[in-house]
Amino acid sequence: MRRYTPRETPILLIDDASPDPRIEQFLETVCDDPQFRIERNLENLGFTRTINRGFELSGDNDIIMLNSDARVTSNWLPSMLAAARSTPNVATVTAMSDRAGAFSAPDIGNENDLPPSISEEVYARAFRRRQVGRYPEVPTGNGFCMLIRRAALNKFGGLDAEAFPRGYGEENDFCMRALRAGWKNLIDDRTYVFHDRSKSFGETKDANARQGAEVLAGRYPEYKLATRAFHEDEAIRFSRMQARQALKDCTRAESVKPRALFVFSTQSGGTPQTNKDLMGALAQDYDCWALRCSGDVLELSHMADGELESVVIQQLNRPLTPLTHISQEYDEIVEAWLLHYDIELVHIRHLLWHSLNLPHIVRKLGIPSVFSFHDFYTLCPSVNLVKEGVFCGGACTQVGGSCDQVLWPAKMMPKVDFDWIGVWRTRFAEALEACDAFVTTSKAVRDRILTHLPLLPRDRFFVIPHGRNFPFIGNVAAEPQATNAPIRILVPGNIGFNKGSDIIKEIARLDQGERIEFHVLGRMTKAVEQPGIVLHDPYTRDSFLSKVQEIRPHFGAVFTICEETFCHTLTEMWMAGLPVAVFDFPTVGGRVRESGAGWVIDHTDIPTLRTSLIEIGARPEELRTKVDSAIRWRNGPGKGLTTNWMAAQYLDVYRVATTHRAGKLRIDRVVAEASTPRPKIAVVVPQSNVNFTRGNASSHIRVWERTRNELDRDVVYIRMRPDNLMAALHAGRVDGVIIQRNAIPNHWIEEFLETFKKTGVPYVVELDDDLFDVPTDKDPKGRYAAAAQGLERFAKQAAGLITSTESLAGRVRRIHDRVEVAPNLLSRAIWSLPISTRRSDGMIRALYMGSFTHAEDLKMILSAVEGVAMRTPEFRLRLIGVCELPLPEWVERTDPPDSARNYPEFIHFLAEQRSDLDFAIAPLMDSPFNNQKSDLKILEQGALGLPVLASDTQVFSSFASVEGVYLVKNTPSAWQAALEDRIAKIGNCHAEGRALQSWIHAHRELEPSLGAFDRCVVELLNLK
């Protein structure tokens, strides 16, 4: 209830004079929470009278009856309210459930257990997204989770406590009274609430049910016929069909991620591009959507494969105007979209051309929201706070005239003067009051915003600089020259008045191209050919370096005449190794002073400014020093400011917003805990792609699945490459590091050891094999042998090691005495598979899979398998991976396609094979190296729903008593006998496989262990 119910919604708990002491103990846990109201009956009134008392205590509000054995899910309340308001004369709305009789899905009744790999939260989300909100009309509701409109209570009275004192039938009676009067009872077919059913009444349920049914039959002779709708109504049957499809959706992790909506306005410039960067980096954790408005057209888009794809476009009948900055039509459309598309987080990046009611709509729906300040639009429609060519800083003194603004048609905007700015800021302050957290990109900008919007909460106002992943780095600065040839100054971007176009033109007019040559890489307002200004075509991110290399500038310039909130062009020039001259404003000036990679110069007098630029070009040694500073920044803080690092900081903000919206921050202690940034732990694995989505199977199993970020985890993990990690260490942007196996190349180990020592940042090494002593048959190319010495030195200097088994831990304690074990476990995100049954084809198939390192294990039992194949012609061995050896005809070699080479896709490829398979085998030679391995083979094959024959070694010994696993001595005769016995009992495979699958999900799932893993990492790294 606390997690999923908007904090503005009061929750009434009534103790009906219960003799159970646990009730009082429970009530004490919520008595300090203002969302909960606790009432106590002086004597036991019984269920129905207590519910009626609750109605009376609820004032004029609609109410929801919720059984104590019901478990609500995300968005349950806004969805039920939307159903209640979907049509006139609604009396009741009932949610759907797993155990609510006629209201159950996928099947009517009370047997809708989820597969062991699917959680309630995930299924409820998939269910909601599959449904379309048809809200079927039914004769009655169900009081396990039933909304009653106050208007209906006022008209028909409360529940009949005389006829139904103990429940069972009281809500049906109320609904039938309403139905006879022409009111409607609806099913909310987008809300799924789990229910234990009948725990509320214990052993008296059968008698209560019989008594209630008799009363209903006597009062409403039409009742039985009316209830046929639950079986026959097309909308209900459709909803149940969609509920079944939702189970399949749960097997695709991308289908059930929480959805985040990013709101912005323009399609060009820094805000949408940075927004795309953030969405891409968050794609590991969120399903990202975007809402854009041009003032008269709304567009909702979905990010897929890194690009935004339009989903729906809606033309507004009346465009928004700045006079009110509000549109009721906009509000209704967006509220419907937020519900229909199941948005769980809203990040407002800009409110230009959007309704100022948006934050309040989001709050009404119980959705956490974050607001970003990318400029000063909230303070003034001029956006940049420039008055008559001078930065005013927000202290508006405009009287009698009007400041310039270009974002709205001039005829729509009143004079931008002192009086209008007062109205403007009041409206924005009222809108922003509904947001849960705030972000900008520099402390100076935050201070300026707070000066003029002082009611914003400083403790929920965060500073996060923009992160970038640069496809380029370079050293493009031209060598300083002793001649009087013009100094080439690069000015990238679209250069308008606020970006210094008039200043550039005036300097060029004074200089006439003799000493200064500006190279504008982009568009320039009212640009004309004149000496000293060279115009180039606009650049893209990918083309920036090549275009600048052609120009070969001596240094760059950012001539913005107002405060920037960040300045991407400054970052781009530094990443190209170019120092930059800027004007003295806190953000860009502060960045230049901190890095030393440029000059902060005065711009109040243009001739003096021209002289300053000429003097910079005339000091070659200083220019070289500034170039070195730019390169040093690029290789240090610049490389460390990745989009993944930026996303990690935003996850902290989203955590604060989510807990604030849920009401958990109402207790001071929790406020402090949630507002404190969580430790940022870098994660480095070998051989991953640039987006950290494809890597070795061990990287997925051992590291990436364990370090998926969630808002309720106490650590934030950041995937990095070694070069990004080096930069982040020097910049102090991470608190600790997890390094898997040999992810740090051998030639870099000494430099990393020195950097770790210098920065004091601790690291742990994660191992799933003894890489210090790999047998030659497992290392035919000698790769591990060549790296063993460096890796051992690296591991010895670590804060600790993490291994996959106790046996391996004992083995590597010769290297380090701090070793923790994190056993291999299966992640629901990968292993939520559809239920599959064996198709009938007259064959008997066993599965064996592995890499080339398992070839010897297969050879060990090949003669036994061959003996079985000779005796049983219908037997086949399905072989996936392992080796390229010549194979007999009873072996079916099945190689995964290229699209299934990555581990998550490979698992779905395996699931597709499942319907052809009866059981699996997991032979493993008994050797010192193998004995350090994990039991992953049984986990994976068992999670497919297959019983497993496995070698009777210490690796698999923990499965000795688990149904569906048979341990076999490592002799050909034992393996042949075990295989023949398995084939003789082939009819038991399905039941045994399902039992093993259930056991694995109950005992070896990853998700329940994540808190312990976080604590283990924090303890090993000695972090607070």
Side-chain angles (χ1 to χ4, degrees), residues 605-619:
D605 181 74
I606 302 302
T608 303
L609 174 58
R610 171 181 174 269
T611 301
S612 297
L613 296 172
I614 293 171
E615 289 176 350
I616 288 172
R619 298 192 290 266

Side-chain angles (χ1 to χ4, degrees), residues 451-764:
T451 297
H452 300 292
L453 296 175
L455 296 181
L456 294 181
R458 178 177 285 272
D459 63 332
R460 287 185 277 120
F461 197 156
F462 301 88
V463 174
I464 302 175
H466 291 315
R468 286 278 297 272
N469 295 337
F470 282 90
F472 64 82
I473 58 171
N475 301 324
V476 300
E479 184 67 20
Q481 51 196 27
T483 66
N484 288 328
I487 304 161
R488 294 186 296 279
I489 302 176
L490 177 69
V491 187
N494 294 325
I495 310 303
F497 173 76
N498 297 325
K499 299 289 186 179
S501 61
D502 286 4
I503 292 175
I504 292 170
K505 292 173 186 176
E506 180 62 13
I507 292 174
R509 187 190 66 77
L510 293 173
D511 187 77
Q512 290 298 305
E514 293 183 5
R515 302 296 305 279
I516 296 174
E517 189 175 88
F518 290 108
H519 287 259
V520 178
L521 190 56
R523 298 183 180 87
M524 187 172 179
T525 302
K526 297 179 181 179
V528 294
E529 291 292 335
Q530 68 181 98
I533 297 179
V534 181
L535 301 177
H536 301 264
D537 291 335
Y539 66 94
T540 65
R541 285 184 167 188
D542 292 337
S543 68
F544 181 80
L545 185 63
S546 60
K547 286 181 175 289
V548 177
Q549 284 173 331
E550 294 174 3
I551 297 170
R552 295 293 293 173
H554 295 92
F555 60 92
V558 174
F559 282 172
T560 308
I561 63 171
C562 57
E563 176 75 279
E564 296 247 30
T565 55
F566 184 70
C567 190
H568 284 286
T569 55
L570 177 60
T571 304
E572 289 170 332
M573 287 189 279
W574 281 349
M575 291 302 290
L578 201 65
V580 182
V582 303
F583 296 158
D584 196 3
F585 293 101
T587 298
V588 292
R591 292 181 68 190
V592 168
R593 288 189 175 99
E594 183 180 5
S595 67
W599 305 265
V600 180
I601 53 181
D602 181 68
H603 69 286
T604 55
D605 181 74
I606 302 302
T608 303
L609 174 58
R610 171 181 174 269
T611 301
S612 297
L613 296 172
I614 293 171
E615 289 176 350
I616 288 172
R619 298 192 290 266
E621 289 305 317
E622 179 182 320
L623 192 55
R624 290 190 185 97
T625 299
K626 298 295 185 181
V627 169
D628 290 342
S629 295
I631 294 171
R632 188 162 50 249
W633 183 92
R634 179 194 70 201
N635 294 336
K639 277 189 178 180
L641 277 170
T642 63
T643 58
N644 275 3
W645 178 88
M646 172 178 66
Q649 316 313 305
Y650 274 98
L651 288 174
D652 271 348
V653 178
Y654 297 161
R655 185 190 196 200
V656 169
T658 300
T659 51
H660 181 262
R661 178 59 23 219
K664 295 177 183 176
L665 295 191
R666 290 168 295 188
I667 303 172
D668 290 342
R669 178 181 59 81
V670 183
V671 173
E673 289 178 0
S675 298
T676 301
R678 294 172 286 175
K680 306 300 185 298
I681 309 297
V683 175
V684 186
V685 305
Q687 300 176 332
S688 70
N689 66 344
V690 295
N691 295 324
F692 305 103
T693 56
R694 302 180 66 84
N696 296 329
S698 66
S699 296
H700 285 279
I701 298 164
R702 297 290 306 155
V703 180
W704 281 350
E705 289 304 312
R706 273 197 168 93
T707 56
R708 284 181 179 270
N709 288 309
E710 296 177 2
L711 297 186
D712 56 359
R713 296 185 75 167
D714 292 328
V715 177
V716 179
Y717 297 99
I718 311 172
R719 298 178 186 181
M720 289 187 172
R721 301 191 310 266
D723 59 333
N724 298 136
L725 173 61
M726 180 66 77
L729 290 171
H730 284 295
R733 300 198 184 280
V734 295
D735 302 298
V737 186
I738 298 174
I739 297 171
Q740 189 195 24
R741 296 169 66 94
N742 56 344
I744 303 300
N746 211 34
H747 65 274
W748 248 5
I749 282 181
E750 291 302 322
E751 184 176 350
F752 265 100
L753 285 174
E754 181 180 343
T755 302
F756 278 121
K757 182 178 180 180
K758 179 180 177 181
T759 61
V761 176
Y763 67 94
V764 297

Side-chain angles (χ1 to χ4, degrees), residues 369-402:
S369 64
V370 175
F371 187 90
S372 286
F373 295 89
H374 293 283
D375 52 36
F376 298 106
Y377 183 72
T378 54
L379 302 185
C380 177
S382 70
V383 176
N384 45 52
L385 304 182
V386 171
K387 172 191 173 185
E388 297 174 358
V390 178
F391 181 63
C392 73
C396 185
T397 58
Q398 184 65 266
V399 178
S402 178

Side-chain angles (χ1 to χ4, degrees), residues 62 64 76-86 147 149 188:
D62 295 341
I64 292 181
W76 74 287
L77 184 56
S79 181
M80 292 188 73
L81 289 170
R85 296 163 183 160
S86 63
L147 181 149
R149 299 302 305 267
D188 176 8

